[in-house]
Amino acid sequence: MPTIAVFYGIVVRMYFYDHNPPHFHVQYGGARALVSIADGSIMAGELPPTAARLVRQWALDRRPALELNWRHAGAGEPLERIAGPDGDGDG
């Protein structure tokens, strides 16, 4: 599962050929969650409140890039790194 972003200790990944609705996987320490690309909400799992807030805002700010990666993942194509909130792709 490719890592598409890392920021503030938060790791964001997408699976190839994953199920709908469009989403991404987040790991922060021992916490894990599936997050909706559409609105940044947690679909499954849980994150600490601050991490959940950061991920939600990041998802809203980067929605077009996330949607493009989702399409690439569905086609089995390479995914692009997406910058974190501070603009750094490797945060």
Short mmCIF file of all heavy atoms in Angstrom, two decimals, residues 40-71:
data_model
loop_
_atom_site.label_atom_id
_atom_site.label_comp_id
_atom_site.label_asym_id
_atom_site.label_seq_id
_atom_site.Cartn_x
_atom_site.Cartn_y
_atom_site.Cartn_z
N GLY A 40 -13.40 14.37 4.33
CA GLY A 40 -12.40 14.24 5.38
C GLY A 40 -12.91 13.59 6.66
O GLY A 40 -12.20 13.57 7.67
N SER A 41 -14.12 13.05 6.63
CA SER A 41 -14.67 12.42 7.83
C SER A 41 -14.08 11.02 8.02
O SER A 41 -13.69 10.36 7.06
CB SER A 41 -16.19 12.33 7.75
OG SER A 41 -16.58 11.48 6.70
N ILE A 42 -14.05 10.57 9.25
CA ILE A 42 -13.58 9.23 9.57
C ILE A 42 -14.71 8.24 9.30
O ILE A 42 -15.79 8.36 9.87
CB ILE A 42 -13.07 9.14 11.02
CG1 ILE A 42 -11.82 10.01 11.17
CG2 ILE A 42 -12.79 7.69 11.40
CD1 ILE A 42 -11.27 10.08 12.58
N MET A 43 -14.44 7.29 8.42
CA MET A 43 -15.43 6.28 8.04
C MET A 43 -15.36 5.06 8.95
O MET A 43 -16.37 4.38 9.16
CB MET A 43 -15.20 5.85 6.59
CG MET A 43 -15.34 6.97 5.59
SD MET A 43 -14.72 6.57 3.93
CE MET A 43 -15.33 4.93 3.62
N ALA A 44 -14.16 4.74 9.41
CA ALA A 44 -13.95 3.59 10.27
C ALA A 44 -12.68 3.83 11.06
O ALA A 44 -11.79 4.55 10.63
CB ALA A 44 -13.82 2.31 9.45
N GLY A 45 -12.61 3.22 12.25
CA GLY A 45 -11.45 3.41 13.10
C GLY A 45 -11.55 4.71 13.88
O GLY A 45 -12.63 5.31 13.97
N GLU A 46 -10.41 5.15 14.40
CA GLU A 46 -10.42 6.41 15.15
C GLU A 46 -9.01 6.98 15.21
O GLU A 46 -8.01 6.27 15.05
CB GLU A 46 -10.97 6.23 16.55
CG GLU A 46 -10.20 5.27 17.42
CD GLU A 46 -10.83 5.10 18.79
OE1 GLU A 46 -12.07 4.98 18.88
OE2 GLU A 46 -10.07 5.08 19.77
N LEU A 47 -8.97 8.28 15.40
CA LEU A 47 -7.72 9.03 15.56
C LEU A 47 -7.89 9.95 16.75
O LEU A 47 -9.02 10.35 17.07
CB LEU A 47 -7.43 9.88 14.32
CG LEU A 47 -7.17 9.16 13.01
CD1 LEU A 47 -7.14 10.17 11.86
CD2 LEU A 47 -5.86 8.39 13.09
N PRO A 48 -6.79 10.31 17.42
CA PRO A 48 -6.90 11.32 18.47
C PRO A 48 -7.50 12.60 17.87
O PRO A 48 -7.32 12.88 16.67
CB PRO A 48 -5.46 11.54 18.91
CG PRO A 48 -4.73 10.30 18.50
CD PRO A 48 -5.42 9.82 17.25
N PRO A 49 -8.22 13.39 18.66
CA PRO A 49 -8.91 14.57 18.14
C PRO A 49 -8.03 15.53 17.33
O PRO A 49 -8.44 15.99 16.27
CB PRO A 49 -9.46 15.25 19.39
CG PRO A 49 -9.61 14.14 20.38
CD PRO A 49 -8.49 13.19 20.09
N THR A 50 -6.84 15.82 17.79
CA THR A 50 -5.99 16.76 17.06
C THR A 50 -5.57 16.17 15.72
O THR A 50 -5.61 16.85 14.69
CB THR A 50 -4.74 17.14 17.88
OG1 THR A 50 -5.18 17.76 19.09
CG2 THR A 50 -3.84 18.08 17.12
N ALA A 51 -5.20 14.90 15.69
CA ALA A 51 -4.82 14.25 14.44
C ALA A 51 -6.02 14.20 13.49
O ALA A 51 -5.87 14.47 12.29
CB ALA A 51 -4.29 12.84 14.70
N ALA A 52 -7.21 13.90 14.01
CA ALA A 52 -8.41 13.85 13.18
C ALA A 52 -8.68 15.22 12.56
O ALA A 52 -9.01 15.31 11.37
CB ALA A 52 -9.60 13.38 14.00
N ARG A 53 -8.52 16.28 13.32
CA ARG A 53 -8.74 17.63 12.82
C ARG A 53 -7.72 17.98 11.72
O ARG A 53 -8.07 18.52 10.67
CB ARG A 53 -8.68 18.64 13.96
CG ARG A 53 -9.04 20.05 13.56
CD ARG A 53 -9.09 21.01 14.74
NE ARG A 53 -7.77 21.18 15.33
CZ ARG A 53 -7.37 20.71 16.51
NH1 ARG A 53 -8.23 20.03 17.27
NH2 ARG A 53 -6.17 20.91 16.96
N LEU A 54 -6.44 17.65 11.95
CA LEU A 54 -5.41 17.92 10.96
C LEU A 54 -5.65 17.15 9.67
O LEU A 54 -5.53 17.70 8.57
CB LEU A 54 -4.03 17.54 11.52
CG LEU A 54 -3.44 18.47 12.56
CD1 LEU A 54 -2.23 17.81 13.22
CD2 LEU A 54 -3.05 19.80 11.93
N VAL A 55 -6.01 15.88 9.79
CA VAL A 55 -6.26 15.05 8.61
C VAL A 55 -7.48 15.57 7.85
O VAL A 55 -7.45 15.66 6.61
CB VAL A 55 -6.45 13.57 9.02
CG1 VAL A 55 -7.02 12.74 7.87
CG2 VAL A 55 -5.13 12.99 9.50
N ARG A 56 -8.53 15.93 8.55
CA ARG A 56 -9.74 16.44 7.89
C ARG A 56 -9.42 17.69 7.09
O ARG A 56 -9.79 17.80 5.91
CB ARG A 56 -10.85 16.72 8.89
CG ARG A 56 -12.12 17.19 8.23
CD ARG A 56 -13.25 17.39 9.25
NE ARG A 56 -14.51 17.58 8.59
CZ ARG A 56 -14.91 18.74 8.07
NH1 ARG A 56 -14.13 19.79 8.11
NH2 ARG A 56 -16.09 18.83 7.49
N GLN A 57 -8.74 18.64 7.69
CA GLN A 57 -8.44 19.89 6.99
C GLN A 57 -7.50 19.64 5.82
O GLN A 57 -7.66 20.20 4.74
CB GLN A 57 -7.84 20.93 7.94
CG GLN A 57 -7.72 22.30 7.30
CD GLN A 57 -9.05 22.83 6.81
OE1 GLN A 57 -10.01 22.93 7.57
NE2 GLN A 57 -9.14 23.16 5.52
N TRP A 58 -6.52 18.76 6.03
CA TRP A 58 -5.58 18.41 4.96
C TRP A 58 -6.35 17.79 3.79
O TRP A 58 -6.11 18.13 2.63
CB TRP A 58 -4.52 17.45 5.49
CG TRP A 58 -3.59 16.93 4.46
CD1 TRP A 58 -2.49 17.54 3.95
CD2 TRP A 58 -3.70 15.67 3.78
NE1 TRP A 58 -1.89 16.75 3.00
CE2 TRP A 58 -2.61 15.59 2.88
CE3 TRP A 58 -4.58 14.60 3.85
CZ2 TRP A 58 -2.40 14.49 2.06
CZ3 TRP A 58 -4.38 13.50 3.03
CH2 TRP A 58 -3.30 13.46 2.14
N ALA A 59 -7.28 16.88 4.08
CA ALA A 59 -8.06 16.22 3.03
C ALA A 59 -8.91 17.23 2.26
O ALA A 59 -9.00 17.16 1.03
CB ALA A 59 -8.95 15.13 3.63
N LEU A 60 -9.51 18.16 2.97
CA LEU A 60 -10.32 19.17 2.30
C LEU A 60 -9.44 20.06 1.40
O LEU A 60 -9.83 20.39 0.28
CB LEU A 60 -11.07 20.02 3.32
CG LEU A 60 -12.15 19.28 4.11
CD1 LEU A 60 -12.69 20.17 5.23
CD2 LEU A 60 -13.27 18.80 3.21
N ASP A 61 -8.27 20.43 1.90
CA ASP A 61 -7.35 21.28 1.14
C ASP A 61 -6.75 20.57 -0.05
O ASP A 61 -6.36 21.21 -1.03
CB ASP A 61 -6.22 21.78 2.04
CG ASP A 61 -6.68 22.74 3.11
OD1 ASP A 61 -7.82 23.28 3.02
OD2 ASP A 61 -5.91 22.96 4.07
N ARG A 62 -6.62 19.25 0.02
CA ARG A 62 -5.94 18.47 -1.03
C ARG A 62 -6.89 17.55 -1.79
O ARG A 62 -6.48 16.61 -2.45
CB ARG A 62 -4.82 17.61 -0.41
CG ARG A 62 -3.79 18.34 0.43
CD ARG A 62 -2.93 19.27 -0.39
NE ARG A 62 -1.74 19.78 0.28
CZ ARG A 62 -1.71 20.70 1.22
NH1 ARG A 62 -2.83 21.20 1.71
NH2 ARG A 62 -0.56 21.14 1.71
N ARG A 63 -8.17 17.83 -1.71
CA ARG A 63 -9.16 16.93 -2.31
C ARG A 63 -8.90 16.62 -3.79
O ARG A 63 -8.96 15.44 -4.19
CB ARG A 63 -10.56 17.49 -2.12
CG ARG A 63 -11.64 16.56 -2.63
CD ARG A 63 -13.02 17.06 -2.33
NE ARG A 63 -14.01 16.21 -2.97
CZ ARG A 63 -15.29 16.46 -2.96
NH1 ARG A 63 -15.76 17.53 -2.33
NH2 ARG A 63 -16.12 15.66 -3.56
N PRO A 64 -8.62 17.60 -4.66
CA PRO A 64 -8.36 17.25 -6.07
C PRO A 64 -7.20 16.27 -6.24
O PRO A 64 -7.29 15.32 -7.04
CB PRO A 64 -8.06 18.59 -6.73
CG PRO A 64 -8.77 19.60 -5.86
CD PRO A 64 -8.62 19.07 -4.46
N ALA A 65 -6.13 16.45 -5.50
CA ALA A 65 -4.98 15.54 -5.60
C ALA A 65 -5.34 14.16 -5.07
O ALA A 65 -4.92 13.14 -5.63
CB ALA A 65 -3.78 16.11 -4.84
N LEU A 66 -6.13 14.10 -4.01
CA LEU A 66 -6.56 12.81 -3.46
C LEU A 66 -7.47 12.09 -4.46
O LEU A 66 -7.35 10.87 -4.66
CB LEU A 66 -7.28 13.00 -2.13
CG LEU A 66 -6.38 13.36 -0.95
CD1 LEU A 66 -7.20 13.91 0.20
CD2 LEU A 66 -5.56 12.16 -0.51
N GLU A 67 -8.38 12.83 -5.08
CA GLU A 67 -9.27 12.21 -6.06
C GLU A 67 -8.48 11.68 -7.26
O GLU A 67 -8.79 10.59 -7.76
CB GLU A 67 -10.32 13.22 -6.52
CG GLU A 67 -11.34 13.53 -5.43
CD GLU A 67 -12.29 14.65 -5.79
OE1 GLU A 67 -11.96 15.48 -6.69
OE2 GLU A 67 -13.37 14.72 -5.17
N LEU A 68 -7.48 12.42 -7.70
CA LEU A 68 -6.65 11.95 -8.80
C LEU A 68 -5.90 10.68 -8.42
O LEU A 68 -5.87 9.71 -9.19
CB LEU A 68 -5.66 13.05 -9.21
CG LEU A 68 -4.74 12.70 -10.38
CD1 LEU A 68 -5.53 12.39 -11.64
CD2 LEU A 68 -3.76 13.84 -10.62
N ASN A 69 -5.33 10.66 -7.21
CA ASN A 69 -4.65 9.45 -6.75
C ASN A 69 -5.62 8.27 -6.66
O ASN A 69 -5.26 7.14 -6.97
CB ASN A 69 -3.97 9.68 -5.40
CG ASN A 69 -2.51 10.04 -5.55
OD1 ASN A 69 -1.93 9.95 -6.62
ND2 ASN A 69 -1.90 10.43 -4.46
N TRP A 70 -6.86 8.52 -6.21
CA TRP A 70 -7.85 7.46 -6.13
C TRP A 70 -8.10 6.84 -7.51
O TRP A 70 -8.16 5.63 -7.66
CB TRP A 70 -9.17 7.99 -5.54
CG TRP A 70 -10.21 6.94 -5.44
CD1 TRP A 70 -11.24 6.72 -6.31
CD2 TRP A 70 -10.32 5.92 -4.44
NE1 TRP A 70 -11.98 5.63 -5.90
CE2 TRP A 70 -11.45 5.13 -4.76
CE3 TRP A 70 -9.59 5.62 -3.30
CZ2 TRP A 70 -11.85 4.06 -3.97
CZ3 TRP A 70 -10.00 4.55 -2.52
CH2 TRP A 70 -11.10 3.78 -2.86
N ARG A 71 -8.21 7.71 -8.52
CA ARG A 71 -8.41 7.20 -9.88
C ARG A 71 -7.19 6.40 -10.35
O ARG A 71 -7.33 5.34 -10.95
CB ARG A 71 -8.71 8.35 -10.84
CG ARG A 71 -10.11 8.94 -10.64
CD ARG A 71 -10.51 9.87 -11.77
NE ARG A 71 -9.65 11.04 -11.89
CZ ARG A 71 -9.80 12.17 -11.21
NH1 ARG A 71 -10.78 12.29 -10.32
NH2 ARG A 71 -8.98 13.19 -11.40
#
